[in-house]
Amino acid sequence: MEFGKTMCFSGHRPEKLPDYGDKHSTAVRALMSVINMEIMNSISEGYTRFMTGMSRGVDLWAGEMVAELKCRGEKIELYAALPYPGFTDRFTGDDHWTAGHILANANDVFTISPAYSKDCMRLRNQYMVNCSHKLLAVCHDSRSGTGQTIRMAERAGIEVKVIDLAPYFELSDSFSPK
């Protein structure tokens, strides 16, 4: 197994996900299962480092999955890339707990910008791409931060695996994209 292959994650926030990201819905459970399968497949391909951008939704889900695998003894590393200090401070409920769990289990936390700015999310995304060999993206709207990250990864020549949300919207109980 080659040590040090890194995969980063990008995906929409709950507001743009099937059933608004409700983890109890059939659509979201199916989506989370596929994300977990992609992480496991990547581990079997020699990926040992995983980086999350810590945004609500897909970033937190993937980061939590990696943290759990790490806690169960999987020989992997978890990194968090925050766009600015205090980025997760206003998270509430499950998002607050998940962010704390990820940060507590991260091998390192990188803070990209010294304060919020209009470019801090883009800079965070570029940092993750620059540090990675592969991007796992969960996307429906290419005119988004996730779409921008996919384009960055393609330009950088790293592997890009996109999970298209269309089939999950078909399973959705209450939300379909515009």
Side-chain angles (χ1 to χ4, degrees):
M1 180 159 92
E2 180 184 333
F3 180 77
K5 286 172 65 175
T6 302
M7 182 167 79
C8 64
F9 306 106
S10 185
H12 298 312
R13 291 183 178 85
E15 297 80 13
K16 291 180 78 174
L17 294 169
D19 297 321
Y20 300 98
D22 177 1
K23 289 183 180 182
H24 302 291
S25 79
T26 301
V28 172
R29 285 195 322 264
L31 175 59
M32 291 177 80
S33 178
V34 170
I35 294 168
N36 192 63
M37 181 186 68
E38 290 295 337
I39 292 169
M40 297 301 294
N41 288 345
S42 293
I43 291 170
S44 71
E45 293 169 3
Y47 285 84
T48 58
R49 296 178 177 184
F50 297 86
M51 185 176 293
T52 175
M54 296 297 293
S55 287
R56 293 171 38 254
V58 172
D59 288 11
L60 287 182
W61 297 348
E64 181 179 28
M65 289 172 196
V66 173
E68 287 301 314
L69 289 168
K70 185 180 171 191
C71 288
R72 291 183 193 149
E74 196 72 47
K75 302 284 189 231
I76 56 177
E77 297 176 0
L78 173 61
Y79 297 91
L82 298 171
Y84 60 89
F87 175 66
T88 62
D89 290 353
R90 292 188 177 169
F91 290 1
T92 60
D94 191 46
D95 292 335
H96 176 77
W97 184 92
T98 302
H101 181 64
I102 292 168
L103 293 172
N105 286 285
N107 290 77
D108 207 346
V109 178
F110 304 101
T111 304
I112 308 310
S113 298
Y116 175 81
S117 71
K118 66 180 179 75
D119 291 328
C120 67
M121 302 298 186
R122 179 187 56 77
L123 293 170
R124 185 258 333 254
N125 296 343
Q126 187 67 62
Y127 176 82
M128 292 193 312
V129 166
N130 291 347
C131 293
S132 298
H133 301 90
K134 181 179 185 178
L135 167 67
L136 176 61
V138 179
C139 189
H140 182 72
D141 179 5
S142 63
R143 296 169 311 197
S144 63
T146 299
Q148 179 186 61
T149 306
I150 292 168
R151 291 186 294 278
M152 288 175 180
E154 290 170 342
R155 283 192 299 271
I158 70 170
E159 183 179 348
V160 178
K161 171 66 179 180
V162 177
I163 299 172
D164 181 5
L165 285 171
Y168 303 97
F169 280 113
E170 291 177 16
L171 289 174
S172 177
D173 296 326
S174 61
F175 180 69
S176 60
K178 294 179 182 176

